[in-house]
Amino acid sequence: MKIILLGAPGSGKGTLAKQITKDFSIPQISTGDLFREIVKTESPLANKVKEIMKSGALVPDEVTIQIMKDRISKPDCEKGFILDGFPRTIKQAIELQNISDIDIVILVNLSNDVIVERLSSRRTCPNCGEIYNTTTYKKESCEKCATKLIQRDDDKPETIKNRLEVYEKNTAPLINFYSEKLFMVSSAGSPIETYAKVKTFLQDLEDKN
Ligand code: AMP
């Protein structure tokens, strides 16, 4: 199954992707994670990407599309994948059509007020990428790999506002672009509740094919 997860930053795409990966045995491809790996390297590209991410802007389409092309061509993507955070512009979506077909686009819906609240209290494991929220997880290190959790630079209040504006301007138009493949889910409830709805939908889809 080839899935796109669409939704504003902080709407819960990453958490959902991890659950789908486990049950449906397809890899999560997060452009944000790929860029965070690039930033760890010492290169001119790393410095450029770091500054862009810190501001909440988008990495240029050419760079993003190339990185995605390389990742999708790996053998683990043959049976399908979940794209988490890609495409984020109409240009990326059009390019994606030349690379691969897509079965379904899941739109994760959440109000901006709740997004700001959740992003401000989000903590991330810089080692394994696991995501936590300080309202429900009180420890300072990752449950899975014991690495000290961090607050991403772009989860700080000054950047969150910009990321939401960038989403409205560049990414929200994709809802219309994918109108025929869209499954909408609210992530206002718990991650378990949100995933239950998605899982039922995906299982039905699998049974039909
Ligand atoms: P995310 O972890 O998905 O919230 O992404 C973090 C940051 O990585 C974004 O704010 C962008 O700066 C960059 N990024 C991730 N995915 C894309 C994309 N598809 N196109 C351009 N920039 C992206």
Side-chain angles (χ1 to χ4, degrees):
M1 211 165 354
K2 294 171 178 169
I3 304 170
I4 291 175
L5 289 183
L6 199 59
S11 57
K13 298 188 301 295
T15 306
L16 199 56
K18 286 187 173 52
Q19 289 162 305
I20 300 173
T21 290
K22 236 160 82 189
D23 283 343
F24 293 85
S25 306
I26 44 177
Q28 168 192 12
I29 304 179
S30 155
T31 33
D33 285 349
L34 293 173
F35 286 136
R36 279 182 281 280
E37 284 306 310
I38 288 174
V39 164
K40 287 181 193 164
T41 64
E42 296 277 323
S43 67
L45 179 63
N47 292 336
K48 189 175 165 194
V49 169
K50 189 176 180 184
E51 285 313 306
I52 293 171
M53 289 177 83
K54 207 172 168 184
S55 74
L58 294 181
V59 177
D61 282 334
E62 295 67 34
V63 177
T64 309
I65 290 161
Q66 191 53 50
I67 280 166
M68 181 51 75
K69 267 188 189 165
D70 293 348
R71 180 62 189 89
I72 282 188
S73 65
K74 300 236 161 95
D76 65 333
C77 292
E78 264 167 29
K79 285 196 199 136
F81 45 74
I82 312 157
L83 301 186
D84 162 14
F86 183 94
R88 255 173 155 105
T89 64
I90 295 280
K91 182 159 184 214
Q92 291 178 13
I94 291 170
E95 283 292 333
L96 179 61
Q97 284 177 325
N98 300 326
I99 310 171
S100 175
D101 53 331
I102 293 295
D103 298 306
I104 195 76
V105 179
I106 301 175
L107 173 63
V108 189
N109 262 327
L110 193 62
S111 74
N112 278 3
D113 287 353
V114 183
I115 284 179
V116 172
E117 220 176 274
R118 286 193 190 168
L119 282 182
S120 314
S121 51
R122 177 161 81 174
R123 296 293 178 271
T124 309
C125 173
N127 181 43
C128 71
E130 195 64 22
I131 301 161
Y132 298 92
N133 192 294
T134 54
T135 52
T136 51
Y137 188 77
K138 304 289 177 196
K139 295 180 199 159
E140 289 192 358
S141 24
C142 178
E143 207 163 46
K144 287 192 170 166
C145 66
T147 306
K148 190 167 169 18
L149 302 178
I150 55 152
Q151 181 175 36
R152 277 168 45 178
D153 274 344
D154 57 351
D155 281 348
K156 298 189 174 145
E158 57 277 18
T159 310
I160 294 174
K161 189 170 163 279
N162 193 28
R163 290 168 73 199
L164 289 174
E165 282 169 7
V166 167
Y167 173 79
E168 276 310 318
K169 182 165 174 263
N170 298 283
T171 312
L174 291 177
I175 298 172
N176 210 18
F177 185 90
Y178 286 121
S179 59
E180 282 165 24
K181 295 191 174 204
L182 214 59
F183 171 73
M184 262 190 266
V185 67
S186 161
S187 59
S190 70
I192 294 171
E193 284 164 342
T194 307
Y195 180 54
K197 288 180 256 179
V198 171
K199 187 176 179 183
T200 306
F201 171 78
L202 291 178
Q203 278 171 336
D204 286 352
L205 199 70
E206 248 185 3
D207 292 346
K208 277 187 211 147
N209 293 328

